[in-house]
Every structure is written in structure tokens, then in C-alpha cells.
Amino acid sequence: MKRKIFKGLKFLGIGFIVLIVIGMIFGGESLDKIHIDSKHLKMDVNEEKEIALIFSPEDAHLSIDDFQLNHDGIVEIKDIKDHQLIIKSLKKSGDVTLQYKDNNIKSNAITIQVVDQKALAALEKQKEEEAKEKAEQLAKEKAEEEAKQKEATKKAEEEAKQKEAAKKAEEEKQKKASEQKQNTTNTSSKTKSNTTTSTKTTQTHNETSSMVYIPKTGKKYHSNPNCSNMKNPRQVSITEAKRRHYEPCKKCYR
């Protein structure tokens, strides 16, 4: 019985020694501190990158399970090799925070931004095309507006010319009407004057050429020498009779 117990203890001791040796070979020393040598990392989808790790002691063993991400489905941790943390972005775009946490040991936290460069390029191209189309549309609208303004200005100028021409025509018409009226007035005045002059001339001629009879006594001149029983009346011109203040006989000049 003692022999079996001794034999068991012997195997247990050997196993403990083996475990110590394996721990010394593969486990390394305990981690004191760790730093992820980056602040902000930008990646394209489906891209793999390496991030430098600074930690002490340098032979400390690190596990990828101790690197934590605050969101899943954006980045995955692939491996740790030669003080480099190998990560790969997936198909999903977004921001994720990476940090090492193991018991009381924590690293700094870094932000990893994953973007779909192809999608961004397509979106940028679409925006450029939309901006180009908008610029072309604005240029077209501006050209149309300028054409409308030009046409409106031309129409306004033509209307102004037509109004000016109509105004001149009206002024010319009024001028001609005024001249015609003045000519008519002048002609009428001239005709009236000529008529008056002619009448006066005729009257004067008649008065000069007409002969009347004046009596020896009295102040009436007669066209009939026998009127009022005149005896031996004197024949003179009517002008002469008027000059002598003779008045026409009411019987002779009714």
C-alpha cells in the first residue's frame, strides 16, 4: 500500500514539474502594461492591417480574446504576431473601438473607421454628376432668363419707338391742322378784307359816280329832280352832297 502511495506521489511530482517547465517555456512572464500604437485607424472594407503593440515585459503572453471591440460585424481580430495585432475589416462600414482588457491591465482605446471606398467613390461620382447637372440646369435657366430679358428689352424699345413715331405723327397732324386752320382763317380774313375793300371801293365808286339833285333851299338830296316840287335843282355827285351835309330824301331812298 505504501508502495502505491509513493508511486502516485512520484507521478504527481513529475507532472507538476512538467507543468512548471511548460509554463516557463510557453507562458512567459505576467503582463505589466500594454499600449496600442495608434490613435485613429481608417480602413477599407475587406482590408487587413497590422497594428503595433508596445507592452512589457516583452515576453509576456497576449491572447486575442483579451482585445475587445465595442461593436461586432465591423472588424475581427485575426492574430498576434511579432508584437503586431493583425485585424481585418468586414463588409460592414462603421466605427468601432478597440481596447485590451485583462484583469487590472488595460490599454489605450483606439477608434477604427471602416468605410466602403468603392461605395464612397460611386457616391462622390453621383454627387459630382448631380452637381454638374444642377450647374447645367442653372446655366440653362440663366440663359433663358437673359434671352427673355433681352426680348423684353427689345420689345420695350420697339414699343417706345412706335409711341415716339405715333407722337410725332400726332404732332405733325396737329401742326398741319393748325396750319390749315390758320391758312383758312387767313384766307377767310383776306377774302373778307378783299370783299370789304371791294364793297367799299364799289360803294365809293357808286357814291362817286352816282349823281343826285339838291334843291336851292333845304338839306335833302334827291334821286328824282321833280321830287318835292323842286324848281331848277342842281345836279351834283352824291359824295359832294354828303360832303355838304345833305341827307337822303326819305321819298327817294326808301
Side-chain angles (χ1 to χ4, degrees), residues 26-82:
F26 297 100
E29 299 184 19
S30 299
L31 182 67
D32 292 333
K33 61 180 179 179
I34 180 171
H35 177 77
I36 302 175
D37 194 19
S38 180
K39 290 184 179 180
H40 180 81
L41 185 65
K42 188 174 182 180
M43 301 177 66
D44 193 5
V45 293
N46 298 319
E47 182 182 7
E48 188 172 292
K49 280 192 175 183
E50 295 179 353
I51 305 174
L53 299 175
I54 302 173
F55 54 90
S56 64
E58 293 187 358
D59 60 348
H61 176 71
L62 301 178
S63 173
I64 61 175
D65 295 332
D66 294 329
F67 287 90
Q68 300 179 11
L69 300 168
N70 65 335
H71 293 298
D72 295 330
I74 298 177
V75 172
E76 66 175 352
I77 301 171
K78 300 288 290 184
D79 196 5
I80 300 173
K81 185 177 181 181
D82 298 331

Side-chain angles (χ1 to χ4, degrees), residues 149-199:
Q149 292 180 354
K150 187 176 180 180
E151 184 66 23
T153 301
K154 183 179 179 181
K155 186 177 180 181
E157 290 176 351
E158 290 178 352
E159 289 178 352
K161 288 180 180 179
Q162 291 176 358
K163 288 182 179 180
E164 186 65 22
K167 182 179 179 181
K168 288 183 178 180
E170 183 64 24
E171 289 176 351
E172 188 67 23
K173 182 179 179 181
Q174 291 179 359
K175 183 179 179 181
K176 287 182 179 180
S178 179
E179 290 177 352
Q180 185 176 4
K181 183 178 180 180
Q182 186 65 34
N183 290 337
T184 302
T185 302
N186 292 339
T187 302
S188 177
S189 298
K190 186 176 180 180
T191 302
K192 185 177 180 181
S193 176
N194 290 340
T195 302
T196 303
T197 303
S198 177
T199 302

Side-chain angles (χ1 to χ4, degrees), residues 134-148:
K134 186 176 180 180
E136 290 176 351
Q137 182 64 26
L138 290 174
K140 183 179 178 181
E141 291 176 356
K142 184 178 179 181
E144 290 176 352
E145 184 64 23
E146 289 177 351
K148 288 180 180 179

Side-chain angles (χ1 to χ4, degrees), residues 205-219:
H205 177 73
N206 290 338
E207 289 179 353
T208 303
S209 60
S210 298
M211 301 302 290
V212 295
Y213 298 92
I214 59 175
K216 291 180 179 180
T217 59
K219 286 294 182 179

